[in-house]
Amino acid sequence: MSLINICVSKSYFNPYVKYKICKKMRKFASKFFIKMNYDIIVIGSGPGGYVTAIRASQLGFKTAIVERENLGGICLNWGCIPTKALLKSAQVFKYINHAEDFGLNKVEASFEFPNVVARSRGVANKMSKGIEFLMKKNKIDVIFGNAKVLKGKKVAVKKDGKTPKYSANNIIMLLVLVLENCQIFLRMV
């Protein structure tokens, strides 16, 4: 028997006290035991996913976003953004080495690769924190774990051996599919 059923079945309270206690128990139970029902669940928090979730929330839908690891997905955390940060460091290094081409006195440049990688990770982390702020600002629930779409408009999210289920009227999947042992051959025309 759940907390809500126990609360409702106690009939010796007067109606006002009963309502007040039941309301508090429902609030407590919803935080810890009962999984939420959403209008929209977005699976994947990459550039398409977090923008979709924000817009849905702005339109008044109760929204949740499911992400496996860090907000921003593969693009922001491991792909596009860190790569662009590495390329920018290489570009600055090239500019320094060709300072004379710009009318500047040449300076001997060197680099420490761990520092370049640390800068790249810092850029990605800063952007991920920005997305986290946008999720809070737009009142979007963030659920971390591996999502699996089930029958009946439900999503199971597996994390740390637990698999809670969430339901939604609409489920939007915006994923990057990583194909293992797959080679893509480009043909030069």
Side-chain angles (χ1 to χ4, degrees):
M1 188 178 280
S2 73
L3 288 174
I4 295 171
N5 291 340
I6 292 169
C7 175
V8 173
S9 68
K10 300 290 184 186
S11 59
Y12 54 83
F13 291 116
N14 72 41
Y16 175 75
V17 174
K18 181 178 173 184
Y19 170 76
K20 191 174 179 182
I21 290 173
C22 288
K23 188 176 178 182
K24 285 184 180 180
M25 286 207 162
R26 278 191 199 102
K27 193 173 184 180
F28 172 80
S30 68
K31 283 185 180 178
F32 299 103
F33 303 110
I34 300 169
K35 298 305 167 202
M36 302 295 287
N37 182 27
Y38 295 96
D39 293 321
I40 298 175
I41 293 178
V42 178
I43 301 174
S45 71
Y50 77 83
V51 172
T52 301
I54 290 170
R55 188 63 183 141
S57 179
Q58 289 171 344
L59 292 172
F61 294 105
K62 184 175 181 183
T63 309
I65 192 164
V66 181
E67 177 57 46
R68 182 182 322 148
E69 206 170 324
N70 298 321
L71 287 174
I74 297 292
C75 179
L76 190 141
N77 292 291
W78 306 108
C80 313
I81 302 303
T83 302
K84 287 179 182 181
L86 292 171
L87 289 171
K88 185 63 175 179
S89 294
Q91 183 183 33
V92 170
F93 183 73
K94 180 182 173 186
Y95 284 156
I96 292 171
N97 284 332
H98 293 96
E100 291 174 339
D101 296 346
F102 297 96
L104 303 171
N105 295 332
K106 188 170 185 177
V107 177
E108 197 63 35
S110 66
F111 69 92
E112 298 288 329
F113 194 68
N115 294 343
V116 173
V117 171
R119 177 188 172 273
S120 171
R121 296 300 320 136
V123 168
N125 289 336
K126 184 177 180 182
M127 292 185 80
S128 185
K129 296 291 182 201
I131 294 172
E132 186 179 325
F133 168 76
L134 290 172
M135 296 298 110
K136 287 179 185 175
K137 177 184 172 197
N138 289 287
K139 298 180 179 115
I140 299 168
D141 292 342
V142 178
I143 306 165
F144 287 103
N146 290 322
K148 181 178 179 182
V149 179
L150 305 172
K151 290 181 182 178
K153 298 183 180 180
K154 293 190 185 325
V155 176
V157 181
K158 186 175 182 180
K159 179 153 184 170
D160 300 330
K162 298 177 184 175
T163 310
K165 294 176 184 170
Y166 302 88
S167 62
N169 297 332
N170 300 287
I171 299 169
I172 302 171
M173 297 175 61
L174 296 146
L175 308 169
V176 173
L177 299 175
V178 180
L179 303 174
E180 294 180 20
N181 300 323
C182 179
Q183 295 180 349
I184 299 172
F185 296 96
L186 299 176
R187 192 171 137 193
M188 301 296 276
V189 179

